[in-house]
Amino acid sequence: MLRIKNNLSASAVLTQQQANYVPLKRVIIESKIRAFAADVTITQIFHNDEATPIEAVYCFPIEEQAAIYTFKAQIDDREISAQLKEKKEAQQEYNNALQDGHGAYLLEQDEKSQDNFIINVGALPPSNDCTITIGYITELNLVQGSTIRFAVPTTIAPRYNPDKGGLASPAGTTSKYVQSSPYTIDFRCHIEKTIGSRTEQITRVSSSSHPIEIDLVQQDAYIVTFTQQNTHLDRDILINIELSSQRNSTIMAVESGAIMAAFIPTEEECHQVSKNDLMNEFIFVVDCSGSMQGENKIGLARQAMLLFLKSLPVDCHFNIIRFGSQYKTLFNEKTVVYNKTNAQEAEQLIKRLQADLGGTELLEPLRWIEQHPPSQGCARQVFLLTDGEISNVTEVLELCRSMVTSTRIFSFGLGQSPSRSLVKGLARATNGRFVFIPPNASVDVYVGEQLQKALQPCITNVHIKWNLGVSVQSAPTHLPPVYTNDRLIVYALVDDKTIPFDHNSSVELLTEPDHRSLGVAKVDHIPAIGENETIARLAAKALILELQHAKLPSSNTKTLEIGSTQIRLQEPMETSSEEITKQRIIAISLKYNILSPYTAFVGVEKRMNASNTNMVLREVPIQISADDQHLQRSIQGYVGTGRGRGGLGLGIGGACRHRKILPDTYGNRNTKSSNVKSSSFNASQPIICDNSEYKHKLRSSTLAKRISQPKSLCLNDADDQDNVYSDSVSKKKRKRKEMFSEKEIWPSNDQDIVRLLINKQLFDGLWNLDSEAIKNLTEKTLAEFTCGDSQIDQQVLVSMIVIAVLEARFGTLAMMWHGVVQKARKRLINLLKKDSKYLEQLLQNIRKQI
């Protein structure tokens, strides 16, 4: 059992002294993935090892977009099904039950960081078990065009609180962060083999977070479990499901009273309706706080920034902002032109990026951006790279919503446990996109995909036309922007449970105001009607998220008529926009029985002749994520003893954690307060463990068809000397660099070859490789190539050879090189007097020689 001592040494947060027990013993995750959604059940097992009743409080993460629809508690042979109520009412009921000597159970969502949730298990008797069950449904993200990603957050990373100037406990609790916890997690995932339609087959299932086993015995599903026993909750669970290339561009699913339609517009469809006559302005915001040191997140940021820099179009405008406890802009101006000098200065800064700026204060650099709006005729794209470990998420998102008309934010969540609420919210609030980059991932692909989206105009003027013969409510009511080959999911809620489907029924995605089509989902057969309320719950959650992230007017009041209908006798009540939005969220939450920030599940277990007088608070410690172990020393100063506020009980037995919320009518009750291997199977090849990191493969067994798978200050970098290396260190680095340059080794794998070519590209988009490099690339010397035009100089010829090779031999890595090739093509067309057809002719001549 876990014991925590008061005075923490530098070597351990947890030790085995003064008895103080952790009531959470085990967490079980069971999920079922079907088409576009996952139905997840979380089971948490608590046990009271102590001689007095305890109130167990546990903070844990769930995806913000998840629709939590059930909450149950089982103690002995009694099962308590909680009811969803307004949060204040639920908290009052919970507190009153404990005061009356009963058991009580409460599930809440944090209003400030909405991917944080709090379980309250009140008055768990000595030596008793309590099993908590939570059910939720969530959409699955489509990443890299053809991969569905199922993510289960398991830990809340320590969040920096700017108001306190340090780390803060989550969700208003005093929960402690620890290096190792006694509770572990079991995981089981049921994946239906056909996703959406018969043409969409699963070709591969893998995990980039944990070693997994895949049971192939079942005919209609793959069963995924962890290979290792006693897995700790120190990183998010990531399951990747790769689909075949034959995919439908539209999908429709139906249940009683609700419809889902999914669209994936093609490049051709988007190109026909898009207009891009604005100059692009790029601002890169890079997290250089101390938390970025873990799992080499700062290394991922450097790698991403170099690719960004190389891919920028010539003559665009850009700037780089580093932030931590303070923020530093590379250039004094809001943005500068992307030319050779400025590009070189930016590259020098990127190469020396360090996680050396202290805490994570994101609000101030975003305020600087907001105070320096883009120039007239410019479209601003902000690329934010962060591990998202902040506590003031709501304040940050509200600021970003004020910039939505001029700015798109493309957010990158780095590491094992970024704030998914922050990373997604930033993109959602500004019509941008988000992506999560796990440790040891190939950052190039993620960067290339996002950059490709940023360089293309998003189509924001779209709407859905439901041709179903009945009136429907769309969810969301205003659609997010549409991108090429990106999935858009929309829902409809119908009061009439019987929808008269026929062959004329369809759902159309149209632009405004010209009503051009971006996709049509037609009903070519009578769809199977589901009854599990999955679509209705997801639709309701979409409406709630839309209300949560809507930009509220600065002041907006509404007069409510009360009593008489005569104007002279009415008593007006002023109600703020915020309160109106809150009440709308509560109404949707209660109607569809899904949790929201303003509602809570509460259950009461009636007990006879019981007393909770001696109940003590036990807040379950939160295990530090694998990439935050370096924060141990920072955490020591505020972790404390682990006793929280409930060490000495509550007098006559009110709720320990909620006593400050409710009136104190009973007198004073104040109390003292591993390396992970990526594992997979490939349906199109023999079953193997595909694990290049460990350089080995596991053969599938013929006996058992299971496989192991594994406050703020702004400085300017031009005047900043903090990151300048000493002369001796600089000389050593230059010497090593010169030695490497003299004898550069050509890379052996495709990704490294593409990375080398990206790094070798000049700022204007061309390449200046020597004959030996061309021979390594093509097995021919430069002298052996001819493009059919003797007037073409060597640099142009080399650049065309590189383009031809990238497009012909490295097509699977197009996400990496797409930006640099587009830049090179544009430069070559300008040099060839804007004759794109002539460039294609020259490239075709070179392709024939490769």
Side-chain angles (χ1 to χ4, degrees):
M1 80 191 40
L2 181 70
R3 299 170 183 171
I4 307 173
K5 76 174 185 179
N6 290 326
N7 297 320
L8 297 169
S9 68
S11 60
V13 174
L14 290 180
T15 60
Q16 308 247 330
Q17 289 199 2
Q18 180 183 2
N20 195 346
Y21 307 107
V22 174
L24 180 62
K25 304 303 177 185
R26 191 178 174 202
V27 177
I28 304 167
I29 305 285
E30 295 184 283
S31 55
K32 186 173 184 178
I33 292 177
R34 182 183 183 189
F36 62 96
D39 199 337
V40 183
T41 300
I42 301 176
T43 303
Q44 300 167 346
I45 301 172
F46 294 84
H47 181 80
N48 184 1
D49 297 303
E50 305 186 54
T52 58
I54 65 170
E55 180 181 22
V57 177
Y58 177 41
C59 298
F60 64 99
I62 296 179
E63 286 269 17
E64 180 194 21
Q65 67 192 41
I68 299 175
Y69 61 86
T70 187
F71 174 53
K72 297 178 182 179
Q74 183 168 346
I75 183 167
D76 297 328
D77 58 349
R78 301 184 301 280
E79 183 176 270
I80 299 93
S81 293
Q83 302 299 310
L84 186 66
K85 301 183 178 182
E86 281 198 53
K87 182 177 280 187
K88 289 183 179 179
E89 180 185 353
Q91 291 173 342
Q92 182 76 60
E93 184 175 332
Y94 173 83
N95 201 61
N96 290 345
L98 295 182
Q99 290 172 349
D100 294 339
H102 303 305
Y105 310 92
L106 184 71
L107 172 62
E108 309 164 271
Q109 182 178 9
D110 185 16
E111 294 181 25
K112 292 185 178 180
S113 189
Q114 294 168 5
D115 53 355
N116 292 351
F117 295 79
I118 311 102
I119 286 283
N120 306 266
V121 178
L124 181 59
S127 303
N128 271 40
D129 287 321
C130 176
T131 300
I132 295 293
T133 303
I134 302 165
Y136 71 84
I137 192 83
T138 185
E139 277 182 20
L140 298 174
N141 294 322
L142 184 68
V143 298
Q144 297 174 24
S146 61
T147 298
I148 290 174
R149 174 166 294 163
F150 174 43
V152 182
T154 66
T155 186
I156 302 172
R159 306 284 168 87
Y160 184 83
N161 187 328
D163 296 332
K164 295 181 178 180
L167 302 175
S169 296
T173 68
T174 56
S175 299
K176 315 305 173 188
Y177 289 99
V178 296
Q179 277 195 311
S180 180
S181 63
Y183 53 89
T184 57
I185 187 171
D186 292 338
F187 177 76
R188 179 182 174 87
C189 182
H190 178 285
I191 305 172
E192 292 193 2
K193 288 186 176 180
T194 301
I195 299 287
S197 69
R198 293 182 179 180
T199 60
E200 286 191 321
Q201 298 293 329
I202 294 174
T203 59
R204 180 184 178 87
V205 174
S206 64
S207 173
S208 55
S209 62
H210 295 78
I212 58 174
E213 290 184 350
I214 304 175
D215 189 341
L216 307 173
V217 172
Q218 293 198 25
Q219 184 174 359
D220 60 346
Y222 302 112
I223 307 299
V224 179
T225 55
F226 285 161
T227 299
Q228 299 173 347
Q229 301 297 314
N230 301 319
T231 300
H232 285 275
L233 287 77
D234 64 348
R235 69 199 67 208
D236 294 349
I237 302 169
L238 300 176
I239 302 296
N240 298 317
I241 305 167
E242 296 181 25
L243 305 179
S244 62
S245 56
Q246 292 183 338
R247 293 182 294 114
N248 291 340
S249 59
T250 57
I251 304 171
M252 185 185 291
V254 181
E255 68 184 26
S256 180
I259 307 107
M260 183 282 297
F263 300 88
I264 307 177
T266 64
E267 184 173 356
E268 182 180 356
E269 289 169 332
C270 288
H271 184 71
Q272 289 176 352
V273 300
S274 65
K275 296 178 181 179
N276 189 20
D277 50 3
L278 295 177
M279 173 70 72
N280 276 315
E281 181 181 278
F282 300 92
I283 297 181
F284 301 94
V285 183
V286 187
D287 189 344
C288 292
S289 63
S291 61
M292 288 286 287
Q293 190 64 45
E295 287 289 334
N296 194 33
K297 287 179 282 190
I298 195 67
L300 289 178
R302 278 195 296 266
Q303 189 178 347
M305 283 300 301
L306 281 173
L307 180 54
F308 278 135
L309 188 66
K310 293 290 185 179
S311 303
L312 287 181
V314 177
D315 294 331
C316 73
H317 287 70
F318 80 109
N319 204 345
I320 299 174
I321 303 175
R322 298 180 296 132
F323 75 95
S325 299
Q326 56 187 336
Y327 67 97
K328 303 181 181 184
T329 61
L330 175 58
F331 302 107
N332 286 321
E333 302 88 342
K334 60 182 177 183
T335 55
V336 298
V337 67
Y338 179 73
N339 57 28
K340 184 175 182 179
T341 301
N342 292 332
Q344 288 176 344
E345 190 173 347
E347 187 170 352
Q348 290 170 7
L349 173 70
I350 291 167
K351 288 179 178 178
R352 65 173 192 262
L353 282 177
Q354 299 293 330
D356 57 359
L357 291 183
T360 313
E361 297 196 20
L362 176 57
L363 190 61
E364 291 307 316
L366 291 178
R367 277 183 178 151
W368 184 90
I369 291 174
E370 190 247 353
Q371 292 165 2
H372 297 80
S375 304
Q376 187 71 27
C378 283
R380 175 175 286 177
Q381 326 291 336
V382 173
F383 292 87
L384 173 66
L385 295 92
T386 181
D387 55 11
E389 297 174 0
I390 67 171
S391 63
N392 58 336
V393 173
T394 302
E395 194 175 359
V396 168
L397 294 182
E398 185 62 28
L399 175 64
C400 291
R401 291 185 195 108
S402 69
M403 298 187 284
V404 67
T405 57
S406 63
T407 301
R408 286 191 293 171
I409 295 180
F410 293 80
S411 50
F412 295 74
L414 306 176
Q416 301 281 11
S417 55
S419 170
R420 307 183 81 84
S421 175
L422 173 71
V423 174
K424 288 184 174 183
L426 288 167
R428 186 184 291 121
T430 60
N431 292 330
R433 299 298 295 168
F434 65 85
V435 70
F436 294 95
I437 304 179
N440 304 316
S442 175
V443 69
D444 320 71
V445 177
Y446 297 96
V447 169
E449 184 179 30
Q450 290 291 72
L451 188 60
Q452 193 171 341
K453 288 182 170 65
L455 292 174
Q456 63 176 263
C458 64
I459 304 170
T460 55
N461 55 337
V462 293
H463 72 281
I464 288 292
K465 184 178 180 182
W466 301 91
N467 303 311
L468 304 176
V470 294
S471 178
V472 304
Q473 179 185 9
S474 289
T477 57
H478 297 93
L479 296 184
V482 174
Y483 291 90
T484 298
N485 295 324
D486 210 3
R487 186 180 61 185
L488 173 69
I489 293 182
V490 291
Y491 303 94
L493 293 168
V494 185
D495 291 330
D496 185 355
K497 301 295 183 183
T498 58
I499 303 172
F501 283 103
D502 57 35
H503 290 292
N504 294 320
S505 301
S506 66
V507 183
E508 294 181 80
L509 178 63
L510 302 169
T511 62
E512 291 181 338
D514 52 359
H515 303 290
R516 301 184 69 171
S517 177
L518 281 172
V520 180
K522 294 184 177 179
V523 178
D524 52 11
H525 64 282
I526 302 301
I529 308 296
E531 297 293 343
N532 59 3
E533 299 183 74
T534 293
I535 298 175
R537 288 169 179 150
L538 289 174
K541 186 65 179 182
L543 291 173
I544 288 175
L545 285 172
E546 184 177 36
L547 288 169
Q548 286 176 203
H549 292 284
K551 172 66 177 174
L552 296 174
S554 55
S555 62
N556 182 21
T557 59
K558 183 178 181 180
T559 301
L560 300 182
E561 295 181 358
I562 300 174
S564 171
T565 58
Q566 299 181 66
I567 295 177
R568 65 184 180 86
L569 297 178
Q570 288 174 8
E571 295 181 14
M573 178 188 298
E574 296 296 309
T575 306
S576 68
S577 301
E578 190 173 339
E579 182 62 25
I580 293 172
T581 299
K582 179 178 177 179
Q583 292 303 319
R584 289 177 64 189
I585 290 173
I586 291 172
I588 296 170
S589 172
L590 296 177
K591 179 178 179 179
Y592 292 96
N593 200 55
I594 59 172
L595 188 66
S596 77
Y598 311 117
T599 54
F601 279 104
V602 62
V604 175
E605 173 205 352
K606 297 292 185 180
R607 298 174 183 170
M608 301 298 293
N609 303 318
S611 173
N612 297 328
T613 301
N614 298 321
M615 182 175 70
V616 293
L617 174 64
R618 292 293 177 251
E619 293 183 310
V620 176
I622 302 169
Q623 179 162 343
I624 299 174
S625 62
D627 53 354
D628 284 319
Q629 295 293 326
H630 65 286
L631 293 177
Q632 175 189 347
R633 292 195 174 118
S634 300
I635 292 171
Q636 289 170 16
Y638 97 107
V639 166
T641 65
R643 292 182 65 106
R645 300 189 292 251
L648 300 181
L650 282 176
I652 63 171
C656 301
R657 198 174 69 80
H658 289 283
R659 66 188 185 281
K660 290 185 177 180
I661 298 172
L662 304 168
D664 185 0
T665 57
Y666 294 92
N668 185 6
R669 298 190 200 127
N670 288 334
T671 61
K672 290 184 181 179
S673 321
S674 72
N675 288 331
V676 177
K677 57 182 177 181
S678 172
S679 314
S680 66
F681 88 93
N682 191 325
S684 62
Q685 298 176 3
I687 304 302
I688 60 171
C689 170
D690 178 16
N691 185 10
S692 57
E693 182 182 352
Y694 283 79
K695 305 296 184 185
H696 74 280
K697 297 181 180 180
L698 302 180
R699 297 178 181 176
S700 60
S701 170
T702 56
L703 298 176
K705 290 187 178 180
R706 297 177 67 86
I707 58 174
S708 293
Q709 312 279 2
K711 292 186 182 166
S712 291
L713 173 67
C714 175
L715 300 177
N716 183 268
D717 276 308
D719 304 321
D720 176 34
Q721 298 300 317
D722 294 342
N723 291 318
V724 178
Y725 299 109
S726 67
D727 289 340
S728 60
V729 173
S730 298
K731 289 176 181 177
K732 289 178 181 178
K733 286 182 175 289
R734 284 197 300 269
K735 187 174 181 180
R736 285 199 300 268
K737 184 177 180 181
E738 287 166 3
M739 290 173 62
F740 177 75
S741 299
E742 289 171 4
K743 192 177 181 181
E744 190 171 62
I745 301 173
W746 190 261
S748 57
N749 68 71
D750 287 357
Q751 281 200 352
D752 286 341
I753 292 173
V754 174
R755 287 192 186 106
L756 177 66
L757 293 175
I758 291 171
N759 288 332
K760 291 288 187 182
Q761 188 182 40
L762 304 176
F763 102 95
D764 64 354
L766 300 183
W767 281 270
N768 194 19
L769 304 182
D770 58 23
S771 183
E772 185 177 351
I774 294 297
K775 188 172 183 179
N776 285 327
L777 185 63
T778 66
E779 298 184 354
K780 286 186 175 184
T781 63
L782 183 57
E784 294 179 71
F785 279 95
T786 175
C787 65
D789 186 340
S790 59
Q791 301 301 314
I792 296 295
D793 68 26
Q794 180 173 308
Q795 193 177 58
V796 171
L797 176 61
V798 166
S799 300
M800 289 192 291
I801 293 172
V802 173
I803 292 173
V805 170
L806 285 172
E807 293 178 342
R809 294 185 179 175
F810 301 101
T812 57
L813 300 173
M815 281 296 181
M816 289 176 61
W817 52 254
H818 176 82
V820 296
V821 166
Q822 290 301 103
K823 181 177 177 179
R825 280 177 164 272
K826 185 175 181 180
R827 175 62 174 158
L828 289 172
I829 289 171
N830 286 335
L831 291 174
L832 296 174
K833 300 179 180 180
K834 301 188 182 300
D835 192 342
S836 58
K837 291 183 179 180
Y838 186 48
L839 173 61
E840 284 304 318
Q841 178 185 332
L842 297 176
L843 285 171
Q844 187 59 31
N845 291 336
I846 290 174
R847 292 187 190 107
K848 293 176 181 178
Q849 301 171 59
I850 296 176

